[in-house]
Amino acid sequence: MTISPTLKPQAAASLALWHEMVAQQDLGRLPSILHGDAVFRSPMAFKPYASAAAVNLILTTVVQVFQGFTYHRTLVSDDGLNVVLEFNASVGDKQLKGIDMIRFDEEGKIVDFEVMIRPMSGLQALGAEMGARLAAYLPAYKA
Amino acid sequence: MTISPTLKPQAAASLALWHEMVAQQDLGRLPSILHGDAVFRSPMAFKPYASAAAVNLILTTVVQVFQGFTYHRTLVSDDGLNVVLEFNASVGDKQLKGIDMIRFDEEGKIVDFEVMIRPMSGLQALGAEMGARLAAYLPAYKA
C-alpha cells in the first residue's frame, strides 16, 4: 500500500498501521493511534459518536461486517493531516462503495473518522447489520 | 477558493471553473469541462449514469435542490487528477454532509463524478427531491 508523500510523517505512520490492521482484519492496535477525544461520524446518523472507546468499537465491528473490502484511491489535503480512502465492499448480497475521511492531529493521532457509503441499498444493508451488532452497546446506533 | 497546488494545472483550471459556477449557482459552462463519455455515480443508485448529457442534467438539478451549500476540505490524489470536495448542505429540514469525488483526464475534462451523502435521513430527503425532479428525464433515478 503506497502512502502519499504529501501526508505528514506521523499521520503517514498511523495510516500505514491502519492499512496493516485492516489487511489482517485485526484492529487490536487501533487505540494506539486514536486520540482520546476522537469522534466517529457514521454514514447512518447525523450526530457524531464522541470518545476513543466508541470509535474503536464501531470500527472493530464494521471490519467484521464488510466482505471483500478493498481500498482504491487515496487523497490527501494540502496540510497533510487529512486523508480520504476510497473503498468497495459488500454486506450480504449488497455491493457498496464508500470513503473513510480521516483527520489526524500533528502527533498522527486520529481525531475524526467519517464514513460515507453509496448507494442507498448498500447503506441500508450496512445500517441494519451494524444496528443489530451495536444496539446493546450504542443504543443510538440505528439505521 | 484555494485550489490545491498538487492538482495538475488543467484539472485545477476546471476545478476553479466548477467552484465559480457553484458559487453563482449557474452551471451553464459545465459542458465545456465534461468529457463526452463522463459518468455520474449517484449516492442513491449503484448503476452509474453514462453520458455528458446525463451528468450535466443531474448536476444542474442538484445545485437547485441543495440549500446552504458550502464546501470545506479539498483532498487530491498523488497523480494530481482526482479530487474530493467535502461539503455540507440541507434539503428541506434535513441537514447533510457529502463529498464530490471527481476524476479528471489529462486535458482537465471531468470523466467521473461521484457523490456520497450522509446521514441516511439526508440521503433520503435528497433522493426524494431528485427523484421527483428527474423522473421524467431519467426514469431510473429513484431513491
Side-chain angles (χ1 to χ4, degrees):
Chain A
M1 178 60 64
T2 307
I3 303 297
S4 168
T6 56
L7 200 56
K8 287 204 175 179
Q10 283 165 312
S14 292
L15 183 57
L17 175 58
W18 170 257
H19 279 303
E20 192 184 319
M21 291 188 296
V22 170
Q24 296 171 351
Q25 291 190 283
D26 177 1
L27 301 195
R29 289 174 290 167
L30 179 58
S32 72
I33 56 169
L34 282 181
H35 189 283
D37 297 324
V39 163
F40 183 79
R41 297 176 202 275
S42 131
M44 270 75 79
F46 189 80
K47 188 161 179 272
Y49 297 89
S51 84
V55 179
N56 190 50
L57 174 61
I58 293 166
L59 291 175
T60 300
T61 304
V62 81
V63 297
Q64 294 163 358
V65 168
F66 283 141
Q67 297 124 30
F69 186 89
T70 309
Y71 277 125
H72 302 287
R73 284 174 283 184
T74 296
L75 302 98
V76 178
S77 62
D78 280 350
D79 67 5
L81 291 174
N82 297 271
V83 66
V84 164
L85 310 175
E86 176 193 34
F87 60 83
N88 78 303
S90 58
V91 175
D93 62 352
K94 300 296 181 192
Q95 294 180 68
L96 58 85
K97 282 202 61 183
I99 56 134
D100 295 331
M101 182 180 284
I102 309 170
R103 188 191 299 272
F104 299 93
D105 68 9
E106 295 282 347
E107 283 71 49
K109 301 287 190 190
I110 294 171
V111 291
D112 199 298
F113 199 115
E114 185 165 0
V115 178
M116 299 186 195
I117 298 288
R118 62 170 287 273
M120 176 73 88
S121 58
L123 179 58
Q124 287 167 332
L126 177 64
E129 188 62 33
M130 291 292 287
R133 295 185 185 220
L134 290 175
Y137 308 99
L138 295 172
Y141 209 101
K142 59 185 191 334
Chain B
M1 177 62 63
T2 308
I3 302 297
S4 168
T6 55
L7 200 57
K8 287 205 174 179
Q10 284 166 312
S14 293
L15 183 58
L17 175 57
W18 171 255
H19 279 303
E20 192 184 318
M21 291 188 296
V22 170
Q24 297 171 351
Q25 291 190 284
D26 177 359
L27 301 195
R29 289 174 289 166
L30 180 58
S32 72
I33 55 169
L34 281 181
H35 189 283
D37 297 325
V39 163
F40 183 79
R41 298 176 202 276
S42 131
M44 272 76 80
F46 189 80
K47 190 162 177 271
Y49 296 87
S51 84
V55 178
N56 190 50
L57 173 62
I58 293 166
L59 291 175
T60 300
T61 304
V62 80
V63 297
Q64 296 164 358
V65 168
F66 284 141
Q67 297 125 29
F69 186 89
T70 311
Y71 276 126
H72 303 287
R73 285 174 282 184
T74 297
L75 302 98
V76 179
S77 62
D78 280 349
D79 67 5
L81 292 174
N82 297 271
V83 65
V84 164
L85 310 175
E86 176 193 34
F87 61 83
N88 78 302
S90 59
V91 174
D93 62 352
K94 299 298 181 193
Q95 295 181 65
L96 57 85
K97 281 201 62 183
I99 56 135
D100 295 331
M101 181 180 286
I102 309 170
R103 188 192 299 274
F104 298 94
D105 67 9
E106 295 283 347
E107 284 71 49
K109 302 287 190 188
I110 293 171
V111 290
D112 200 298
F113 199 115
E114 184 164 1
V115 178
M116 299 186 196
I117 299 288
R118 62 170 286 273
M120 176 73 89
S121 58
L123 178 59
Q124 286 168 333
L126 177 64
E129 188 63 32
M130 291 292 287
R133 295 185 185 220
L134 290 175
Y137 308 101
L138 296 170
Y141 210 100
K142 59 184 190 334

